[in-house]
Amino acid sequence: MTGITGGTPSMLPAWGGGAVPRNEPLLAVEDLHVEFATRQGAVKAVNGVDYTLEAGETLAVLGESGSGKSVTAQAIMGILDTPPARVTRGRVLFRGTDLLGLSEENRARVRGRRIAMIFQDALSALNPVFTVGWQIGEMFRVHQGASRRDAERRAVELMDRVRIPGAARRLHDYPHQFSGGMRQRIMIAMAVALEPELLIADEPTTALDVTVQAQIMELLTEIQRESGMGMILITHDLGVVADAADKIAVMYGGRIVEHALVHDAYRAPAHPYTRGLLDSIPRIDRKGRELHAITGLPPNLLDMPPGCSFAPRCPYRQGDCAVEAPPLHRIGPTRGSACHYWREVLDGSHG
Amino acid sequence: MGRYVIRRLLQVIPVLLGATFLIFSVVFALPGDPIASMAGDKRMPPHIVAELTERYHLDDPFLVQYWHYLSGLLQGDFGETFAGGGVSEIIAGKFQVSLNLALTALVMETVVGVGLGFYAALRRGRAQDTLVLAATLLLISVPTLVTGFVLQLLLGVELKRSTGIDFFPISGAFDGWRSYLLPGFVLAGTSIAYLTRLTRTTLAETLRADYVRTAVAKGLPRRRIVGRHALRNALIPVVTYLGADLGTLMGSAVITETIFNLPGLGQELFRSIYERQQPVVVGIVTLLVLVYVLANLVVDLLYAVLDPRIRYE
Amino acid sequence: MSSAAPPKGAPPKTRRARHAKASGRGARTARPAGLWRDAWHDLRRRPLFTVSAVLIAVVLVMAAVPSLFTSVDPYDAAGCVLGDARQGPSAAHWFGTDNQGCDTYARTVYGARNSVLVGLGTTVLTALAGGLLGLVAGFRGGWLDAVLSRVTEVFFAIPSVLGALLILSIFRTGTVWTVTLALAVLAWPMTFRIMRASVITARGQDYVVAARGLGASAGRLMFRHILPNAIAPLIVVSTINLGVFIAAEAGLSFLGLGVQSPDITWGLMIADARARFHEAAGPLLFPAALLSVTVLAFIMLGDAVRDALDPKLR
């Protein structure tokens, strides 16, 4: 593993681009494994995840709850509860530096400043007893030693930027006094306060009304475009993905089962699970077609079946699926599928 | 917030009425003739008996007597003893002793309870945590009666006998604040244990809260995450417990006061029961009820200050 | 029993099945029988439970048949020799002798009965009175609930030790029964509150709503459907209270308004030994120790039962 010293992170430029060698992606997750210790045994939540992200790019990570998408993000961020969670294998390279090898102190220096995160439920993610101005301004006070007044002034600027009406007036309000959408805007303001290079958005719109969802996604993509930061968008909602993401990674049973450019995946999925997901959402271009739900249950992470974890629910299943776990087949330069029969899936013919 | 305060204030009235009524009716039912017991062995001349009966409304029906008492109370008058002294004056000095004792206990409770709870919460599941929990179990289980005498023996008597250190007075309130050290700790015993458990649980819970995860994601130093974000939330139930406990401590000090010979309200009540000084009995219990109700009122208002979600309801 | 019938308002089958598969007991948690069986299974493996159960068993036997533990009858004054007063522990007197020259060990053993009687009596009274009132108030709601809740607020405002002293002073002489009554009068609001809260929770649950929809009578709803599901907190608190009441009895007897001499109780023994405590600590410390261990045992048992019943801690 690369030797990491305390000085390394500060030697890197604080803002994306610049002098960074081009061959280093912004973020590269390599063979990440995460387990949770429970009374019933070790729950294998993440089982060898790989993905990369360049600056300015948006990666959508898709999957149902329990697929390991949030756990992966929390591992990148370093906010897993350890114990019970434990990263058993893998690396998280951020501009070439393995974050998992950093001391807690150095990691804290990356968090918030260079990698930021927003969460699903902004009401519980914001501290109920501090004003929103205080919570946003804290970023400047703690990380940059800004004065109280200066921090407040910049908090108002940020609140303006995320389009909170009457920002200056609402600086001293508490989180519960805002609507759900406004609270998520406050989370976003706090996350982008120090202009991070990477933003992880964990189901940022799930808890919101449909109309508000669109506004929040719009705001996120706009901020991302202006700042050039990389973004990981974790969601189970395919509708959110199409407009916002450049590429997608579909997770199932703690693994990535398909990764592709977003339009490739939409046009012709290469994994039966992705196909199932796409078939289960209503789409205007497929009007009149029948909607399909994926039958069966997600795999038991305590006791993973041998072979392909999706096999029990898979319409393309063949004999060897239950025996041999499919590797991530390389389909093209930007695409991979962990299915023995990806060709059949891609062709759309049911095995 | 204004409406919250008013609603809370209005809730106090029926409680006070009910409690004073209850106390008054129990005391009314006490056996014995107060005037006769005042005279001791001698027979009281009939005209004095009549005068005293008139003066203390002893012939009036119960409800009328209660009314007289209540209207006096509203003007801050706790009534008169049968010997003619004002109950308020008798109570005042004793109240000071009881208050000192309760405040000492409260300080100890805060320092030890919050400290231990904090310590255990940050080491949840480890040996130190288990040890703290075992200690709270002991503190809850060993009655005041026992801790009082054991500490008196160990720190008051044996310590002096073996080392000559005479730091903990074991009887009376003659040594200023030091007089209250041992009894204060004894009185605080159970509360220390409960507060330790409460602090431990709430802090451990808040440390798992989403907003603490956010604070970690913001890259804040650990000290700030625990000391500001988690603690500020965890303190809400702790502070409210402490406030409410002041009333409880004052009302439950009788045994401690007896063991350490502190002339507080408990001792005075005890004597008044024996001497059939009904006005003093009623006065003391009423006062303690008032303290309890007011302490709870202050706590509820404090709660609103600490938790903005209540303030803006 | 109908209380064990599967909840009518159960979530869709798939979710249930998944839950059951994941936890291994999901389908049973809604039913009290399953809850108790799980709790019992859990309890037996807790050292805290074993220790406290053994201690309680010893104290109960001591209270029932004290002569099993000592051949000395402390109620027989002939056994006390004033010349032997305040002796240290010896072969003849294991715990030494008190100010009257009586055997401290025998007195401590015989003292268990009154403590246990007060503890059990008060616990039963408060559990019945507070529990029943709480059940009705929580189930019916409305004005009855409002009135009862206000009444408990009044009781909570009265300091319990002082309140007990007041009540006891009404009686000419203190006995086990007056102490029990005084404590119960002051403690029932606590059991009332606990029962009421858990009944309100149980009342809203799907199977109760379903049973009501099927036309079950109020009495049947309360005692067959709600009570078995709502009684766990009451049992935990009652167990703990048993210890607390024993401590309270000792306190009241110590103050002189509880059980009176020549009856033997730990509180009275402590009061008697108090005058010469600094010269001879034994007569005070031995009953104090047994008192503490007894209270500890009940509180430990309550803690263990609560941990076993609390699904959150599983």
Side-chain angles (χ1 to χ4, degrees):
Chain A
M1 212 143 290
T2 39
I4 301 304
T5 62
T8 312
S10 54
M11 278 157 59
L12 300 175
W15 186 244
V20 180
R22 264 299 41 136
N23 55 357
E24 301 261 38
L26 174 64
L27 179 80
V29 180
E30 293 178 359
D31 195 30
L32 188 71
H33 286 72
V34 183
E35 284 183 11
F36 286 85
T38 68
R39 279 200 180 186
Q40 284 87 15
V43 171
K44 295 186 168 59
V46 176
N47 306 299
V49 162
D50 297 84
Y51 54 65
T52 59
L53 183 75
E54 302 293 343
E57 230 179 15
T58 298
L59 166 73
V61 181
L62 278 165
E64 54 200 354
S65 49
S67 64
K69 55 191 197 306
S70 286
V71 176
T72 309
Q74 287 173 15
I76 295 170
M77 199 68 197
I79 56 170
L80 282 170
D81 284 328
T82 48
R86 199 162 67 92
V87 176
T88 49
R89 195 152 25 122
R91 300 202 295 172
V92 175
L93 298 171
F94 181 63
R95 295 240 188 256
T97 303
D98 183 10
L99 295 178
L100 300 180
L102 289 182
S103 68
E104 180 50 36
E105 197 187 329
N106 283 331
R107 248 188 136 176
R109 233 173 261 168
V110 176
R111 277 197 292 260
R113 236 181 271 207
R114 307 185 61 204
I115 306 181
M117 187 159 180
I118 57 180
F119 301 95
Q120 175 176 341
D121 180 5
L123 179 59
S124 61
L126 290 167
N127 198 318
V129 299
F130 298 116
T131 64
V132 297
W134 189 91
Q135 292 187 60
I136 299 173
E138 190 179 29
M139 298 298 282
F140 302 117
R141 279 181 279 119
V142 173
H143 289 287
Q144 300 178 341
S147 70
R148 249 180 93 148
R149 183 177 298 178
D150 194 32
E152 278 196 354
R153 185 182 52 76
R154 292 163 75 182
V156 175
E157 282 173 18
L158 275 169
M159 285 165 74
D160 271 330
R161 187 173 176 206
V162 296
R163 283 186 234 106
I164 291 170
R169 207 162 22 83
R170 305 215 63 183
L171 194 67
H172 299 292
D173 282 355
Y174 290 89
H176 72 274
Q177 293 168 285
F178 290 84
S179 69
M182 287 299 145
R183 278 196 284 266
Q184 196 55 283
R185 285 171 195 270
I186 289 159
M187 272 307 289
I188 294 171
M190 207 156 71
V192 301
L194 302 181
E195 310 191 323
E197 294 151 70
L198 172 63
L199 177 67
I200 302 174
D202 190 354
E203 308 253 9
T205 61
T206 307
L208 303 174
D209 291 343
V210 182
T211 47
V212 183
Q213 283 184 2
Q215 292 167 12
I216 293 291
M217 278 318 298
E218 208 173 291
L219 177 68
L220 273 176
T221 39
E222 180 196 306
I223 288 177
Q224 189 225 6
R225 219 167 287 140
E226 285 172 9
S227 64
M229 65 186 178
M231 180 154 84
I232 297 176
L233 177 65
I234 297 159
T235 179
H236 63 263
D237 183 359
L238 274 161
V240 164
V241 173
D243 300 323
D246 300 304
K247 50 189 196 181
I248 67 168
V250 179
M251 288 192 68
Y252 187 83
R255 288 188 64 193
I256 291 191
V257 292
E258 176 170 5
H259 69 89
L261 294 178
V262 77
H263 298 294
D264 292 343
Y266 269 62
R267 202 176 310 118
H271 191 280
Y273 180 62
T274 318
R275 171 170 291 269
L277 285 179
L278 287 171
D279 283 348
S280 65
I281 54 161
R283 284 170 63 177
I284 295 189
D285 56 323
R286 308 240 175 118
K287 214 171 162 185
R289 273 228 221 157
E290 206 180 324
L291 287 179
H292 289 282
I294 304 172
T295 54
L297 299 171
N300 182 353
L301 296 172
L302 269 169
D303 181 24
M304 291 290 274
C308 175
S309 56
F310 188 62
R313 304 168 74 183
C314 182
Y316 293 87
R317 178 184 57 230
Q318 309 239 346
D320 55 343
C321 288
V323 186
E324 196 189 333
L328 196 65
H329 294 285
R330 194 178 148 90
I331 300 175
T334 57
R335 190 154 202 200
S337 164
C339 177
H340 295 307
Y341 304 99
W342 60 269
R343 282 193 184 80
E344 286 83 343
V345 183
L346 207 52
D347 294 345
S349 60
H350 278 242
Chain B
M1 179 142 180
R3 282 178 62 186
Y4 173 77
V5 174
I6 290 169
R7 201 175 54 210
R8 193 59 193 74
L9 278 172
L10 287 177
Q11 279 172 355
V12 166
I13 295 169
V15 172
L16 278 181
L17 278 179
T20 47
F21 182 79
L22 216 60
I23 296 158
F24 203 83
S25 45
V26 168
V27 173
F28 193 80
L30 287 183
D33 178 352
I35 296 175
S37 67
M38 228 169 92
D41 294 337
K42 283 178 287 185
R43 292 253 331 265
M44 188 95 63
H47 71 276
I48 297 188
V49 171
E51 193 199 308
L52 285 173
T53 307
E54 168 72 27
R55 182 163 165 194
Y56 295 110
H57 311 289
L58 291 179
D59 268 354
D60 287 345
F62 169 68
L63 280 177
V64 176
Q65 287 195 36
Y66 175 63
W67 174 249
H68 282 301
Y69 181 70
L70 204 64
S71 44
L73 203 60
L74 282 177
Q75 295 151 27
D77 179 10
F78 278 88
E80 282 182 1
T81 64
F82 293 124
V87 173
S88 308
E89 285 81 63
I90 293 184
I91 295 180
K94 317 287 175 186
F95 181 75
Q96 190 58 51
V97 172
S98 284
L99 189 67
N100 288 350
L101 179 59
L103 286 178
T104 313
L106 206 65
V107 170
M108 292 191 172
E109 185 183 334
T110 313
V111 174
V112 183
V114 174
L116 274 182
F118 195 92
Y119 179 83
L122 295 182
R123 286 162 189 77
R124 228 168 108 93
R126 291 199 237 154
Q128 298 99 316
D129 180 32
T130 315
L131 203 68
V132 169
L133 281 184
T136 61
L137 186 63
L138 269 182
L139 266 180
I140 291 174
S141 303
V142 180
T144 316
L145 198 54
V146 179
T147 43
F149 281 117
V150 169
L151 285 183
Q152 198 177 54
L153 186 69
L154 290 181
L155 292 180
V157 182
E158 289 300 327
L159 189 70
K160 187 173 161 190
R161 197 179 289 169
S162 55
T163 64
I165 297 174
D166 184 13
F167 189 74
F168 299 104
I170 53 168
S171 177
F174 312 112
D175 301 274
W177 59 276
R178 279 199 293 132
S179 308
Y180 294 101
L181 282 181
L182 275 186
F185 183 81
V186 169
L187 182 60
T190 345
S191 297
I192 289 177
Y194 281 125
L195 196 66
T196 304
R197 288 180 170 195
L198 182 70
T199 310
R200 172 183 174 273
T201 326
T202 46
L203 187 61
E205 250 166 45
T206 39
L207 282 175
R208 280 197 305 265
D210 282 358
Y211 52 79
V212 167
R213 194 185 54 185
T214 308
V216 179
K218 281 166 91 173
L220 304 179
R222 172 99 182 136
R223 210 171 348 102
R224 190 179 176 88
I225 295 168
V226 176
R228 279 278 211 157
H229 285 260
L231 196 62
R232 178 68 171 68
N233 280 278
L235 277 184
I236 295 173
V238 171
V239 170
T240 51
Y241 178 89
L242 276 172
D245 209 32
L246 180 67
T248 313
L249 286 173
M250 288 199 70
S252 59
V254 197
I255 291 174
T256 312
E257 284 176 12
T258 307
I259 295 174
F260 290 96
N261 264 323
L262 288 174
L265 288 176
Q267 291 259 287
E268 182 62 27
L269 176 88
F270 199 61
R271 194 171 60 223
S272 306
I273 288 177
Y274 269 111
E275 291 175 2
R276 307 270 168 233
Q277 285 289 356
Q278 276 93 331
V280 184
V281 173
V282 178
I284 289 174
V285 184
T286 306
L287 182 65
L288 287 171
V289 168
L290 259 176
V291 170
Y292 177 89
V293 169
L294 288 182
N296 274 281
L297 183 69
V298 170
V299 160
D300 279 4
L301 301 183
L302 202 62
Y303 200 102
V305 173
L306 288 175
D307 192 338
R309 283 165 294 187
I310 296 208
R311 205 184 313 165
Y312 292 95
E313 223 171 43
Chain C
M1 276 241 309
S2 60
S3 62
K8 300 294 193 298
K13 211 169 186 171
T14 47
R15 242 169 69 203
R16 277 189 77 75
R18 189 202 301 183
H19 180 61
K21 197 178 172 188
S23 71
R25 55 167 151 247
R28 270 191 275 139
T29 46
R31 298 184 307 186
L35 179 67
W36 292 110
R37 194 164 49 228
D38 286 352
W40 172 237
H41 186 74
D42 192 79
L43 260 184
R44 276 180 311 182
R45 289 176 303 156
R46 286 173 187 270
L48 207 62
F49 170 73
T50 320
V51 172
S52 56
V54 169
L55 287 176
I56 288 170
V58 171
V59 172
L60 288 182
V61 173
M62 195 180 278
V65 204
S67 54
L68 280 180
F69 291 80
T70 173
S71 55
V72 180
D73 179 2
Y75 283 106
D76 180 7
C80 306
V81 184
L82 258 179
D84 288 348
R86 291 185 296 285
Q87 293 201 336
S90 64
H93 304 291
W94 292 359
F95 290 179
T97 56
D98 66 8
N99 289 335
Q100 266 70 49
C102 304
D103 183 58
T104 305
Y105 172 69
R107 285 178 65 84
T108 308
V109 167
Y110 274 76
R113 178 174 293 171
N114 286 327
S115 295
V116 168
L117 278 178
V118 171
L120 281 177
T122 316
T123 305
V124 169
L125 275 182
T126 51
L128 278 180
L132 277 177
L133 288 174
L135 177 62
V136 176
F139 180 73
R140 296 282 294 274
W143 65 268
L144 182 73
D145 180 35
V147 168
L148 281 172
S149 295
R150 291 296 90 72
V151 171
T152 55
E153 272 171 27
V154 169
F155 272 89
F156 272 112
I158 298 173
S160 44
V161 187
L162 302 191
L165 285 181
L166 269 188
I167 296 173
L168 283 172
S169 61
I170 298 177
F171 302 104
R172 296 215 170 263
T173 174
T175 64
V176 166
W177 307 115
T178 59
V179 175
T180 303
L181 188 75
L183 288 176
V185 164
L186 287 156
W188 72 268
M190 202 198 313
T191 45
F192 169 85
R193 268 198 189 180
I194 282 155
M195 194 62 187
R196 175 179 173 272
S198 78
V199 165
I200 288 176
T201 312
R203 190 179 62 178
Q205 268 160 22
D206 289 344
Y207 57 89
V208 178
V209 177
R212 192 194 291 265
L214 290 172
S217 69
R220 192 179 170 79
L221 272 177
M222 272 199 287
F223 290 99
R224 278 288 166 87
H225 295 276
I226 293 178
L227 188 64
N229 286 285
I231 205 169
L234 182 70
I235 287 176
V236 170
V237 167
S238 293
T239 316
I240 293 176
N241 274 353
L242 221 159
V244 174
F245 292 142
I246 287 177
E249 182 278 326
L252 292 173
S253 298
F254 166 77
L255 288 174
L257 280 168
V259 179
Q260 303 291 320
S261 197
D263 264 4
I264 300 171
T265 84
W266 295 329
L268 268 180
M269 288 178 72
I270 291 173
D272 288 344
R274 189 190 169 200
R276 315 294 285 267
F277 170 49
H278 298 160
E279 307 144 46
L284 192 148
L285 290 184
F286 285 113
L290 199 57
L291 169 66
S292 305
V293 168
T294 307
V295 178
L296 177 71
F298 282 107
I299 290 179
M300 263 163 50
L301 181 68
D303 266 12
V305 172
R306 183 191 47 217
D307 289 353
L309 283 172
D310 191 346
K312 270 188 293 183
L313 295 173
R314 287 213 172 147

